[in-house]
């Protein structure tokens, strides 16, 4: 959940009489940032969207060159959940299981969550997949996907399905994953690692 403005006067001071798009207005409202910060963040998102539009739908061999790099910092694990508030995820809530074979992940995923390398654009949101490619092509790391067990002994993706799809299409054979701390043993059993 995004942070809400604590001081209505601060919000009014930051917005009244200024030319703001609805996106920028929400940025100020939800993050308590300044007018200048909202404008800057909006411009950066527009730049990334434009770069992603040039990649969207292209085969992996036509993507920019990049290495899939993972952010294993617990302080950033909240990023696995789209739009999550950094204060909304406890630092010890998730742990990393390093170096998991992609084949084991694919064998354990429920059919709903499994994609082949060829389905990176046809399943899910192609904009998110393209933005992941832009992010990695600019040398930035991303949090690994979060896998959770189902009651029937399979796994679902609770966050990061587009990152996983891009990594798979890029030919990644081993990767770290995030799991809820309390589910680590069960997830390892399902993955057979």
């Amino acid at each position: 959940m995004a942070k809400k403005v604590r001081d209505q006067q601060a919000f009014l001071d930051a917005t009244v009489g200024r030319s703001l798009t609805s996106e920028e207005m929400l940025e100020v409202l939800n993050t308590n940032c300044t007018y200048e910060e909202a404008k800057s963040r909006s411009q950066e998102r527009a730049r990334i969207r434009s770069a992603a539009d040039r990649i969207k739908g292209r085969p992996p061999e036509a993507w920019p060159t990049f290495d899939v790099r993972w952010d294993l910092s617990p302080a950033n694990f909240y990023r696995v959940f789209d739009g999550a508030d950094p204060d909304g995820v406890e630092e010890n809530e998730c742990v990393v299981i390093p170096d998991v074979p992609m084949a084991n992940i694919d064998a354990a995923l429920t059919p709903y969550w499994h994609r082949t390398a060829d389905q990176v654009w046809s399943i899910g949101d192609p904009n998110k997949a393209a933005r992941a490619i832009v992010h990695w092509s600019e040398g930035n790391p991303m949090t690994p996907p979060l896998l959770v067990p189902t009651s029937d002994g399979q796994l679902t993706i609770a966050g990061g399905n587009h990152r996983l799809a891009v990594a798979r299409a890029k030919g990644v054979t081993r990767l770290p994953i995030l799991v809820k701390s309390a589910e680590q043993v069960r997830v390892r059993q399902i993955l057979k690692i």
Side-chain angles (χ1 to χ4, degrees), residues 77-95:
F77 287 173
Y78 76 94
R79 295 179 185 273
V80 77
F81 305 105
D82 293 342
D85 181 346
D87 298 329
V89 178
E90 295 296 321
E91 194 168 311
N92 295 327
E93 188 174 336
C94 296
V95 295

Side-chain angles (χ1 to χ4, degrees), residues 2-16 18 20-43 45:
K3 293 179 187 175
K4 297 296 177 199
V5 172
R6 287 175 232 117
D7 181 355
Q8 191 176 32
Q9 187 59 49
F11 173 72
L12 293 173
D13 291 345
T15 59
V16 171
R18 299 192 184 218
L20 286 166
T21 65
S22 58
E23 178 183 28
E24 293 161 351
M25 182 75 74
L26 287 171
E27 185 78 28
V28 171
L29 181 64
N30 290 331
T31 67
N32 291 312
C33 70
T34 65
Y35 167 79
E36 291 77 15
E37 290 169 326
K39 288 297 241 188
S40 176
R41 292 173 187 174
S42 179
Q43 290 167 349
R45 281 191 296 272

Side-chain angles (χ1 to χ4, degrees), residues 46-72:
R47 182 193 67 78
I48 291 168
R49 278 192 302 268
S50 177
D53 285 344
R54 292 188 298 275
I55 295 167
K56 197 172 14 178
R58 297 173 69 189
E61 57 273 9
W63 294 352
T65 303
F66 65 91
D67 291 323
V68 173
R69 295 180 45 228
W70 299 106
D71 182 349
L72 304 179

Side-chain angles (χ1 to χ4, degrees), residues 115-146:
R115 293 192 210 182
T116 66
D118 295 331
Q119 295 172 318
V120 70
W121 302 118
S122 61
I123 297 178
D125 182 349
N127 296 305
K128 285 186 174 186
R131 287 193 306 267
I133 294 167
V134 169
H135 196 80
W136 274 322
S137 71
E138 293 179 350
N140 299 308
M142 297 187 80
T143 53
L146 174 66

Side-chain angles (χ1 to χ4, degrees), residues 96-98 183-193:
V96 174
I97 299 178
E183 297 171 340
Q184 180 179 190
V185 171
R186 182 70 183 125
V187 170
R188 284 181 176 276
Q189 291 169 340
I190 293 169
L191 289 169
K192 299 180 169 108
I193 57 171

